[in-house]
Amino acid sequence: MIVAAVITLAALGLIFGGALAYASQKFAVEVDPKVEEVRELLAGANCGACGYAGCDQFAEEVVAGNAPVTGCAPAGTEAANKIAGIMGVEAPDTLERQVAQLKCLGDCNTVKIKHIYDGPQDCRAALMFGGGPIACSFGCVGLGNCVRACPTDAITLGENGLPVIDKDLCIGCSICVKECPRQVLELVPETKKHHVSCRNQDKGKQVREVCARGCIACTLCVKKCPENAISMVNNVAVIDYDKCTNCGTCVEVCPQKTII
Amino acid sequence: MKTFKGGVHPGDRKSATEKKPVVPAKPPAVAIIPLSQHIGAPCEPLVAVGDEVKMGQKIGDSKGFVSAPVHSSVSGKVIKIDTCKSAPGGTVDAIFIENDFQDTWHEDVKPNPNWEKLSADELKKIVREAGIVGMGGATFPTHVKLSPPPENKIDYVLVNGAECEPYLTSDHRAMLERPDDLIVGLQLIMKMVGAEKGCIGIEDNKPDAVEAVTKAAAKDPRIEVRALPTKYPQGAEKQLIKVFTGREVPSGGLPAHVGCIVQNVGTCIAITDAVCKGLPLIERIVTITGSGINEPKNMLVRIGTPLEDVIEQCGGFKPNLKKLILGGPMMGFAQPGPENLPVTKGTSGILCLTDEEVTIEEIGPCIKCAKCVEVCPVSIMPLFIGSSVEQGLYDRAEKYDAMDCIECGCCSYICPAKRPLTQWIRMAKSEIAAKRRAAAK
């Protein structure tokens, strides 16, 4: 009996195996080998920052010529160059790796709290209630929409209520930048060390009323910067990262300790 | 008894103030009159800093159709035009008037002995000029409601005397103390829109009000007074229409589309005052209650009285105050604090809740029990809208008819996982509205 069963099963296995082998040859889906090569070079986080549904679709679109070879920010310049090589197009200029940077220092000790908010823990929802729980109308609400949006878990909420960005994990996809209702997150070149951590466009007096670390537009940094890299735009200092040499003069002169 | 689908039965908690007659509040030393006390275009100030104004004088108006003018509730001098807080959040421009305590009436405010002979158009003009808005809290300009598109023949005027929000008793007291004026107001509205039938719905937890209004309405056979089951949101526009006429307002439609107009009790009385006595809307009944206030009261408060003054006249807050709400607990707006916040045309109540009444519980995961679907009076599925918003999928929220939500709060009230469904739907509505505005451009 056992012998008969073994023979039957073996025979069935052979028949179906042969049928499958034939089908895989006959009905094979032609995949452009380029797509697989490109797919290999991508970051693989499926973050969606390129605007496509995931890395697979992006790879297909690159090969089809619809997406730019530099479209995957997380993969970086090196990958972009290789993709350009595969596609036979000219390699893009060297792009520096970009990481997210928080432009606010209004934590629970520095910014004036208007009221206690206990509704849904969502920055947008909090802003709908009386214009947000903090007195500053430009600063971080601290309810972590960026934390939830980050595809690589690079952002966590720190003890002081502000998001903390792990620059090693950040892939520069800019999803948090788009998600933040207060636009206090920005992509900056990874090598630049100093940032103006405030976006408050009010006059200095009003800023001081609401936050101990806000930019009061005193223009000291503008005057002292040896590279002339800082300008005052809408009452907030802005560093031109192309000119910045990381000398740190602005950090020393800033009376509000806004530049870190 | 006929009723609508869904709804909840929160404890009515009206005992603190329902037996207390309305007492006039002291006029404020400085009245803060916001230029936008209604839904629609804000008013432009008609006075400048330093001007002398009289009581009842129009001090702000707008050319927009969906708008209502504002009047001074005191006589005195304009000291500044600055911002104050508004109930739904944010700030609005307001005229600050220093009271001279003379209460000198403006010459335009005079009784009209021939009011019964006025035509519908003249009446509508009076309602607009008196700055009357929906006084239940939504503050929709009344003259706009009274001017439905000509293709919609209005046959029913419904008056909401349900006062289904827990705690509030301002409409209850108004019905007890001024039932005749309420009936006159209803008759005037019926005349303005040419309706044949007037209905007043009062929840059956107010038998004294049902009795008083029924007695006052006995003279007019066109008016029906009905006691309605006590169920929240009995006083909501679409639910009241369903109960009285069996008609259903279509998704995205207005009551006028099914031949109905719904007005609040307070609004009807304000119309009577405006038409017969020439009084603009400068004061309203406010219920100040909750266990966080020392002396709960119903007060007749001048519009523009700072909240702090009203609270002071009610013996002040108790030390364990936890939450301050303008309006009722279901649909009212929580406030960061009483500072720089005046009583406006839409302030039906000032609710002071203590930590005994307010609990903040952790939000749990949805277990798909569908209790929110069961209680939703407009038959939408709050659980799916809530989860869509949680994931930021506002398009999906739109497909689940988030825009039909009347924000009654039943879903948040009933949810065993304490999910803030109404708040999420409100978020979805603001996002969808922003998207539609952007698309229209």
Side-chain angles (χ1 to χ4, degrees):
Chain A
M1 282 302 281
I2 291 170
V3 177
V6 168
I7 293 169
T8 318
L9 273 178
L12 279 172
L14 277 172
I15 293 164
F16 286 122
L20 282 172
Y22 174 75
S24 72
Q25 291 283 321
K26 176 84 180 164
F27 305 115
V29 179
E30 295 249 344
V31 181
D32 191 333
K34 281 184 191 166
V35 172
E36 277 176 18
E37 282 173 49
V38 172
R39 175 70 185 79
E40 285 297 304
L41 289 165
L42 302 178
N46 281 318
C47 65
C50 55
Y52 296 97
C55 300
D56 286 335
Q57 198 195 354
F58 174 70
E60 282 168 27
E61 296 293 336
V62 168
V63 174
N66 297 330
V69 291
T70 51
C72 183
T77 321
E78 209 183 318
N81 283 329
K82 285 184 188 160
I83 296 171
I86 294 167
M87 294 301 297
V89 296
E90 209 166 299
D93 292 338
T94 324
L95 295 165
E96 198 175 345
R97 191 169 104 93
Q98 303 243 316
V99 288
Q101 171 71 32
L102 179 67
K103 303 240 154 167
C104 178
L105 290 166
D107 62 27
C108 40
N109 301 317
T110 52
V111 74
K112 206 171 113 194
I113 307 290
K114 269 198 307 191
H115 56 256
I116 297 161
Y117 171 78
D118 53 36
Q121 296 297 297
D122 180 290
C123 303
R124 282 173 205 275
L127 288 176
M128 284 172 71
F129 176 67
I134 56 169
C136 174
S137 40
F138 296 87
C140 173
V141 189
L143 289 173
N145 278 20
C146 50
V147 175
R148 288 182 290 277
C150 181
T152 58
D153 291 338
I155 312 179
T156 46
L157 271 189
E159 272 173 31
N160 60 4
L162 289 178
V164 180
I165 299 154
D166 184 332
K167 304 248 151 119
D168 294 331
L169 287 176
C170 177
I171 54 173
C173 68
S174 82
I175 287 177
C176 55
V177 175
K178 288 172 199 146
E179 177 62 29
C180 178
R182 281 272 168 100
Q183 284 109 41
V184 289
L185 289 157
E186 198 176 275
L187 284 187
V188 297
E190 189 196 12
T191 52
K192 300 299 172 188
K193 289 190 192 131
H194 305 302
H195 310 284
V196 181
S197 297
C198 181
R199 286 186 35 82
N200 195 317
Q201 299 177 359
D202 287 336
K203 292 259 158 52
K205 188 169 173 282
Q206 290 155 285
V207 176
R208 287 179 74 108
E209 277 167 17
V210 297
C211 184
R213 298 282 297 268
C215 176
I216 53 169
C218 66
T219 69
L220 255 180
C221 54
V222 177
K223 288 172 196 147
K224 295 285 161 113
C225 178
E227 306 294 329
N228 285 327
I230 309 179
S231 55
M232 206 48 80
V233 181
N234 292 331
N235 292 322
V236 187
V238 175
I239 299 177
D240 181 347
Y241 291 115
D242 290 340
K243 291 184 187 166
C244 176
T245 56
N246 286 338
C247 71
T249 311
C250 50
V251 180
E252 279 161 34
V253 299
C254 180
Q256 289 286 97
K257 307 257 172 280
T258 311
I259 307 180
I260 51 167
Chain B
M1 264 190 284
K2 268 194 198 164
T3 184
F4 57 94
K5 179 219 161 258
V8 292
H9 297 91
D12 71 6
R13 306 198 183 203
K14 292 177 193 271
S15 56
T17 52
E18 66 186 350
K19 300 268 183 287
K20 290 191 181 165
V22 177
V23 290
K26 276 187 227 149
V30 174
I32 309 170
I33 316 279
L35 284 163
S36 181
Q37 300 186 39
H38 49 264
I39 291 176
C43 293
E44 297 289 326
L46 300 176
V47 289
V49 175
D51 284 5
E52 294 285 335
V53 293
K54 289 176 181 164
M55 207 159 129
Q57 182 179 339
K58 186 157 83 170
I59 53 173
D61 204 348
S62 160
K63 289 197 176 70
F65 179 60
V66 185
S67 188
V70 294
H71 301 79
S72 176
S73 59
V74 294
S75 57
K77 197 166 145 195
V78 177
I79 50 171
K80 62 173 175 173
I81 298 178
D82 202 347
T83 56
C84 72
K85 287 195 289 194
S86 76
T91 54
V92 287
D93 284 338
I95 300 176
F96 291 65
I97 302 164
E98 192 177 38
N99 193 352
D100 60 9
F101 293 100
Q102 301 298 314
D103 285 358
T104 332
W105 283 100
H106 190 253
E107 48 273 20
D108 286 352
V109 180
K110 50 178 182 279
N112 188 344
N114 299 321
W115 60 270
E116 283 180 62
K117 297 196 184 78
L118 292 168
S119 73
D121 284 337
E122 283 166 329
L123 287 170
K124 280 184 208 172
K125 198 158 168 261
I126 292 172
V127 169
R128 190 203 174 272
E129 285 304 305
I132 297 174
V133 300
M135 288 169 77
T139 63
F140 191 79
T142 301
H143 69 277
V144 182
K145 244 188 194 181
L146 295 176
S147 317
E151 64 269 22
N152 296 122
K153 170 87 184 82
I154 304 297
D155 45 7
Y156 275 93
V157 174
L158 308 177
V159 176
N160 167 24
E163 198 156 56
C164 52
E165 277 266 10
Y167 289 98
L168 302 185
T169 54
S170 51
D171 287 351
H172 184 181
R173 292 312 305 180
M175 287 187 284
L176 279 181
E177 294 174 24
R178 302 184 65 185
D180 295 316
D181 289 337
L182 167 63
I183 300 299
V184 172
L186 172 56
Q187 286 165 336
L188 286 169
I189 298 170
M190 286 161 68
K191 186 171 176 184
M192 279 184 256
V193 297
E196 290 305 314
K197 189 104 179 95
C199 303
I200 304 174
I202 305 168
E203 278 192 350
D204 57 10
N205 62 352
K206 295 180 264 291
D208 47 351
V210 177
E211 195 186 328
V213 177
T214 312
K215 211 171 124 199
K219 296 171 274 242
D220 192 335
R222 299 176 302 161
I223 296 176
E224 179 197 354
V225 181
R226 200 190 289 177
L228 306 173
T230 301
K231 181 167 86 164
Y232 180 85
Q234 188 65 260
E237 210 166 55
K238 291 167 188 172
Q239 281 56 45
L240 214 56
I241 293 173
K242 178 84 182 157
V243 169
F244 271 102
T245 68
R247 299 171 192 174
E248 202 163 298
V249 180
S251 170
L254 293 172
H257 294 148
V258 291
C260 296
I261 274 184
V262 184
Q263 294 289 357
N264 174 268
V265 165
T267 317
C268 292
I269 295 174
I271 289 174
T272 312
D273 282 347
V275 172
C276 309
K277 300 181 195 156
L279 288 177
L281 183 52
I282 58 163
E283 55 188 9
R284 68 158 296 144
I285 305 175
V286 182
T287 305
I288 303 102
T289 185
S291 55
I293 191 94
N294 281 314
E295 298 158 30
K297 280 179 188 171
N298 294 301
M299 291 181 113
L300 188 63
V301 185
R302 302 263 181 105
I303 305 287
T305 307
L307 230 55
E308 286 160 311
D309 290 16
V310 183
I311 301 290
E312 195 191 303
Q313 291 174 54
C314 295
F317 291 128
K318 283 189 187 158
N320 58 341
L321 178 85
K322 181 101 181 178
K323 210 164 202 173
L324 179 68
I325 297 174
L326 284 190
M330 300 294 283
M331 287 190 71
F333 297 101
Q335 296 302 320
E339 304 82 18
N340 199 21
L341 183 64
V343 166
T344 64
K345 295 172 185 176
T347 312
S348 49
I350 302 170
L351 207 52
C352 314
L353 303 178
T354 61
D355 42 16
E356 293 152 33
E357 290 160 305
V358 181
T359 53
I360 292 159
E361 302 195 38
E362 211 173 306
I363 300 169
C366 175
I367 55 167
K368 310 270 191 297
C369 67
K371 277 212 160 79
C372 55
V373 181
E374 212 171 286
V375 299
C376 179
V378 291
S379 303
I380 57 173
M381 296 188 278
L383 75 161
F384 293 126
I385 302 175
S387 64
S388 304
V389 172
E390 246 188 326
Q391 297 165 49
L393 303 173
Y394 295 104
D395 288 345
R396 203 172 84 183
E398 192 177 1
K399 280 188 198 132
Y400 279 115
D401 299 313
M403 292 312 267
D404 282 337
C405 173
I406 56 169
E407 300 179 22
C408 66
C410 287
C411 48
S412 295
Y413 174 83
I414 208 79
C415 180
K418 308 288 168 211
R419 290 167 72 75
L421 294 163
T422 315
Q423 289 83 341
W424 277 330
I425 299 174
R426 232 182 240 175
M427 262 175 80
K429 284 173 82 171
S430 82
E431 292 283 328
I432 296 165
K435 196 187 81 183
R436 287 185 184 175
R437 270 199 304 274
K441 264 178 200 163

